[in-house]
Amino acid sequence: KIQKTKVSVSGPITMNVIEMKEDHIRILTEQNNVLIKSLSRVETDLHAFRQEALIVEEGHQLLKDQNFEMVSKLFLMENEMKKMKDESLICDDKLAATTRRNEELLLSLVLHV
């Protein structure tokens, strides 16, 4: 049979292991603190970015709405201008007809006098 024997480590070796573990824990704690601060900055930056994106989106929507209004007004103005041109052509035709009639009447009066 093989007997198990306990090896007991004591003294300076045990203290050295404990100090190494404590150093390791301290280093990990420092790294953890740095990571937590970094995460906090990232969360702050993300929040600021989301706020800025929201502002940009609201501005974008406002511009889209204004563009729609402008296009609608432009469409109405173009229709109004076309209507005015059509009315102007009708008036021009009436004026030309009246002018011809007046010329004929004037000529008729001159010939009868």
Side-chain angles (χ1 to χ4, degrees):
K1 272 187 168 178
I2 301 176
Q3 283 189 346
K4 293 183 182 177
T5 57
K6 279 189 173 180
V7 176
S8 153
V9 179
S10 63
I13 296 176
T14 303
M15 290 306 287
N16 194 15
V17 170
I18 292 173
E19 287 174 3
M20 286 174 49
K21 286 192 179 224
E22 286 176 351
D23 282 346
H24 193 195
I25 289 171
R26 182 186 51 76
I27 290 169
L28 290 174
T29 301
E30 288 173 3
Q31 289 175 345
N32 191 32
N33 289 336
V34 168
L35 290 173
I36 289 172
K37 287 178 185 177
S38 180
L39 178 62
S40 178
R41 280 193 305 270
V42 168
E43 287 174 341
T44 300
D45 291 347
L46 178 61
H47 178 71
F49 173 76
R50 285 182 176 157
Q51 292 290 69
E52 188 175 325
L54 181 62
I55 291 169
V56 168
E57 181 59 32
E58 289 171 352
H60 177 71
Q61 186 61 44
L62 178 64
L63 288 175
K64 281 174 55 177
D65 293 345
Q66 289 175 343
N67 185 49
F68 178 77
E69 289 177 25
M70 296 297 251
V71 167
S72 298
K73 286 179 182 179
L74 179 62
F75 180 74
L76 291 173
M77 290 173 72
E78 286 175 341
N79 285 338
E80 186 66 25
M81 190 166 63
K82 183 182 181 315
K83 182 180 173 184
M84 290 173 72
K85 282 182 181 179
D86 292 345
E87 290 173 357
S88 176
L89 290 174
I90 292 170
C91 287
D92 286 348
D93 290 345
K94 286 180 181 179
L95 182 61
T98 303
T99 301
R100 278 192 306 276
R101 187 175 292 152
N102 285 344
E103 286 174 351
E104 291 170 359
L105 288 173
L106 185 59
L107 185 60
S108 173
L109 280 172
V110 169
L111 292 177
H112 284 90
V113 172

